[in-house]
Structure formats: C-alpha cells, structure tokens
Amino acid sequence: MISKNINQITKRLEQINLKGITSLKDVHSSLNKKLGITKTGSRHLRTCLYMAALNGYRHNAFSNLKKRLEEKGKKPKVIVIAILHKLLRIVFGVITKGKAYMHENAH
C-alpha cells in the first residue's frame, strides 16, 4: 500500500515538474519584469510547500540560502520561493531514493 502511494506521488511530482511554483515573467513588456509565481499545477501542493517555506524563512531553517540571497539584494518573497524550490527538491529526493533526508551539516 505504501509503495503504491509513493509511486503515485513520484509520478505526480514528475508530472508537476515544478509547475505552479515557477516564476511568471511579463512577456509583453520590454522590461522583462517578474509578476510572481504561476498558478498552474496543484494548488494544494503549492500552498503546503509555500507555508512550509514561509515557516522555514521565518525560523532560519535555511540560513545559508537566506543569507546568500539577502546579500544579493533579493526580496523576502523571492527568498521564500527559493526555499520552496529547495523543499521540493528535498521531498522529491527522499521519495525517489527512499532514504531519509540528512542535512549536510548533520553529525
């Protein structure tokens, strides 16, 4: 039962392929400005990951990533979306490899 669910989740994540959490650019403007994140894909997945990323941002769960992006002058929402992408890659890796996540600084 669990392996069936994991296979369904893996296929779903492959199908999503980051849809719904990619940057949306204004293609009609010569300024090439970003408008936010797209609203395609799974709304539930996007909401769950966004809330987890927001919590990670507020509590410095990804302090290295946050510090690096702040030094580049990125806005807080851009940093939250970068954390969201990081979380998605972690989740995908855990599901596809079948191993628990180990932070690189863990003992």
Side-chain angles (χ1 to χ4, degrees):
M1 181 73 172
I2 293 174
S3 64
K4 181 181 176 184
N5 289 338
I6 290 174
N7 288 335
Q8 288 174 347
I9 292 169
T10 304
K11 287 179 185 177
R12 182 68 182 140
L13 284 173
E14 288 172 354
Q15 289 171 353
I16 290 170
N17 194 22
L18 304 180
K19 285 184 180 175
I21 53 174
T22 56
S23 296
L24 182 62
K25 293 184 180 181
D26 185 1
V27 294
H28 301 293
S29 172
S30 61
L31 300 176
N32 198 20
K33 62 182 177 180
K34 292 186 178 184
L35 301 174
I37 61 173
T38 62
K39 303 297 186 221
T40 60
S42 172
R43 182 178 73 193
H44 180 69
L45 177 64
R46 184 175 57 248
T47 301
C48 290
L49 286 172
Y50 183 80
M51 295 309 292
L54 189 59
N55 190 40
Y57 174 83
R58 289 179 178 162
H59 297 285
N60 289 323
F62 295 91
S63 57
N64 293 339
L65 177 62
K66 181 179 175 182
K67 182 180 176 184
R68 189 174 73 242
L69 293 175
E70 284 174 342
E71 288 172 355
K72 290 183 177 181
K74 300 296 182 182
K75 295 181 180 180
K77 189 170 182 179
V78 172
I79 297 171
V80 170
I81 299 302
I83 292 171
L84 187 149
H85 277 274
K86 179 78 171 177
L87 284 172
L88 184 61
R89 290 191 301 271
I90 290 169
V91 168
F92 189 74
V94 166
I95 290 171
T96 56
K97 293 178 182 175
K99 294 183 180 179
Y101 173 72
M102 289 292 268
H103 191 273
E104 57 261 1
N105 294 335
H107 300 299

